[in-house]
């Protein structure tokens, strides 16, 4: 009889210990899974923003910066909404992105283009013929370049538990050669 009571107590105690051990392991496991999810979400947002600046820079690279129909607003809409037209009640590609965060720098507009990541000039940038990689080279002409930049984008977390709402990405930009 004593053996049965002892076995019964031991089984109940073992179940209780397993539950406590599971609870101890569950908390760090949830934190780890949420951290991986947040990191993946941040990478996804950064890549979506990079792709949208690339699309807008490619779009603007086909226009002359002196063209009277130069589509600056359309390029900003392309970055934010994925379309050259801004819908009145549209949803941005990435939550929190607005057209005011998109800066376009080119030969005719350089407002907001003085960051350390920006080229020194956007017009008549010299190109050199390095004679198949040889040092020295002679200037063979010049090009215009266009830069599309997202400045001050705040990261929007999946779960506010980690309090990452004050995190801002650095400037996200793409520079391309423009027709001349």
């Amino acid at each position: 009889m004593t053996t049965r009571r002892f076995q019964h107590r031991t089984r109940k105690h073992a179940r209780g210990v397993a539950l406590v051990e599971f609870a101890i392991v569950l908390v760090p496991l949830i934190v780890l899974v949420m951290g991986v999810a947040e990191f993946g979400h941040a990478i996804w947002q950064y890549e979506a923003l990079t792709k949208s600046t690339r699309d807008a820079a490619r779009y603007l690279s086909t226009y002359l910066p002196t063209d009277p129909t130069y589509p600056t607003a359309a390029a900003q809409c392309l970055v934010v909404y994925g379309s050259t037209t801004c819908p009145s009640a549209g949803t941005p590609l990435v939550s929190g992105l607005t057209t005011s965060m998109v800066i376009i720098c080119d030969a005719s507009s350089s407002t907001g283009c003085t960051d350390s990541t920006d080229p020194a000039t956007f017009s008549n940038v010299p190109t050199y013929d390095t004679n198949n990689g040889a040092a020295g080279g002679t200037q063979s002409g010049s090009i215009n370049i266009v830069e599309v930049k997202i400045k001050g984008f705040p990261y929007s977390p999946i779960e506010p538990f980690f309090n990452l709402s004050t995190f801002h990405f650095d400037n996200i930009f793409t520079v391309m050669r423009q027709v001349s």
Side-chain angles (χ1 to χ4, degrees):
M1 179 111 172
T2 324
T3 310
R4 275 192 170 159
R5 266 194 227 156
F6 181 71
Q7 286 176 345
H8 184 64
R9 275 191 208 155
T10 307
R11 279 190 221 136
K12 277 187 175 180
H13 182 69
R15 279 188 241 146
V17 169
L19 187 62
V20 169
E21 289 173 353
F22 177 70
I24 289 171
V25 170
L26 185 64
V27 173
L29 186 63
I30 288 174
V31 170
L32 181 68
V33 168
M34 288 302 297
V36 168
E38 283 294 344
F39 187 71
H41 188 247
I43 289 173
W44 174 83
Q45 281 190 345
Y46 188 84
E47 285 302 313
L49 295 170
T50 302
K51 182 184 179 306
S52 67
T53 61
R54 191 178 324 122
D55 291 344
R58 188 175 296 118
Y59 176 69
L60 287 175
S61 71
T62 61
Y63 288 88
L64 287 169
T66 56
D67 189 343
T69 61
Y70 193 65
T72 303
Q76 289 174 323
C77 291
L78 186 60
V79 171
V80 176
Y81 299 105
S83 170
T84 54
T85 56
C86 289
S88 58
T91 305
L93 294 173
V94 178
S95 178
L97 183 61
T98 63
T99 54
S100 64
M101 294 177 189
V102 179
I103 298 171
I104 305 215
C105 306
D106 56 26
S108 61
S109 173
S110 60
T111 305
C113 306
T114 56
D115 295 333
S116 62
T117 58
D118 295 329
T121 183
F122 293 94
S123 62
N124 299 321
V125 177
T127 58
Y128 293 92
D129 179 11
T130 59
N131 198 15
N132 296 323
T138 57
Q139 185 172 347
S140 61
S142 64
I143 60 170
N144 291 334
I145 55 177
V146 61
E147 176 187 51
V148 178
K149 172 172 45 175
I150 297 173
K151 188 172 187 170
F153 178 76
Y155 172 68
S156 51
I158 300 171
E159 179 60 46
F161 175 75
F162 292 110
N163 196 21
L164 296 173
S165 58
T166 57
F167 174 72
H168 285 71
F169 286 120
D170 285 340
N171 292 344
I172 299 169
F173 61 94
T174 301
V175 178
M176 285 192 180
R177 178 181 181 167
Q178 200 165 25
V179 295
S180 43

